[in-house]
Amino acid sequence: MIASLRGTCIDVSGSAVVVEVGGVGYAVTVTPAHALTMRHGSEVFLRTAMIVREDEHLLFGFESTDALQVFDLLRSVSGVGPKSALGVLAHMDPAQIANAVASEDDAAFRKVSGIGPKTAKLITVALSGKLVAFEQAPTTAVGTGTAAHPASVDVVSALVGLGWREDAAQSAVDAVVTNDPGAAAMGTQALLRAALGTLRPAGAGR
């Protein structure tokens, strides 16, 4: 069982990355936002889940232990496979998933491709009480600018690595932190997705 990987990213395509460890390349599926934080030649560390089937061995990678644990809990729900579980994590971070379950908000899960109304409802029922450790109380950001969010520095760095100017990247993150009511509860991936959403329409900073 492969529980983690630390090595060099040698390929990134969509949500698929290849991490070379000791001369061996491991194909790993991650969320699109997570893939955007990786660059060819950079060192990466991934928590991984290995799914073994009769005809294939699949590796799914995560930036945190919390994400991996939530992934495993989602897969324990009938009708939720590894791709659907990763799809949920592509839309929400662990805290947002836990809060959706706690509030019985199955609509949040219906937004994920491959998850219908019945499965979405089943997720909130089956995982009730199992995600308490990941819940995060809504908070109000104090102050403005990137310093108001703990993940903002990492997100700005990721955007700069993707080709945007630092001032444009910082402005995008500032805009999300200031204007999005849910910004305080966002993890790194969620904040990156939101910031990219403000940059993409105009290709700001490119």
Side-chain angles (χ1 to χ4, degrees):
M1 182 66 69
I2 300 174
S4 67
L5 290 174
R6 184 186 298 277
T8 303
C9 176
I10 60 174
D11 190 32
V12 183
S13 178
S15 60
V17 301
V18 178
V19 181
E20 185 178 77
V21 182
V24 179
Y26 294 85
V28 188
T29 301
V30 298
T31 65
H34 192 183
L36 284 171
T37 67
M38 302 181 205
R39 298 185 297 280
H40 187 278
S42 64
E43 181 178 328
V44 298
F45 175 74
L46 301 172
R47 298 288 184 182
T48 56
M50 187 174 183
I51 311 298
V52 179
R53 294 174 175 170
E54 290 184 1
D55 57 344
E56 60 184 352
H57 290 184
L58 303 173
L59 270 178
F60 294 86
F62 309 90
E63 65 178 350
S64 68
T65 301
D66 284 358
L68 172 59
Q69 292 175 344
V70 171
F71 173 80
D72 286 335
L73 285 168
L74 286 166
R75 287 199 304 118
S76 72
V77 179
S78 177
V80 180
K83 291 183 180 179
S84 293
L86 191 68
V88 173
L89 283 162
H91 281 75
M92 298 179 282
D93 62 29
Q96 291 171 322
I97 293 169
N99 290 342
V101 169
S103 61
E104 299 181 359
D105 179 18
D106 59 296
F109 300 101
R110 294 202 302 270
K111 299 176 183 177
V112 179
S113 176
I115 294 183
K118 290 183 179 179
T119 302
K121 184 63 177 178
L122 183 58
I123 289 174
T124 62
V125 173
L127 297 186
S128 178
K130 296 182 179 180
L131 297 171
V132 176
F134 306 104
E135 290 179 22
Q136 184 175 30
T139 57
T140 301
V142 178
T144 59
T146 54
H149 196 289
S152 59
V153 174
D154 290 338
V155 173
V156 169
S157 296
L159 290 170
V160 171
L162 291 170
W164 276 278
R165 295 195 315 269
E166 184 174 357
D167 59 342
Q170 182 168 326
S171 294
V173 175
D174 285 348
V176 174
V177 172
T178 302
N179 300 321
D180 191 326
M186 289 181 181
T188 303
Q189 289 193 48
L191 184 60
L192 176 59
R193 283 194 298 271
L196 281 169
T198 69
L199 287 166
R200 279 174 177 160
R206 287 270 186 173

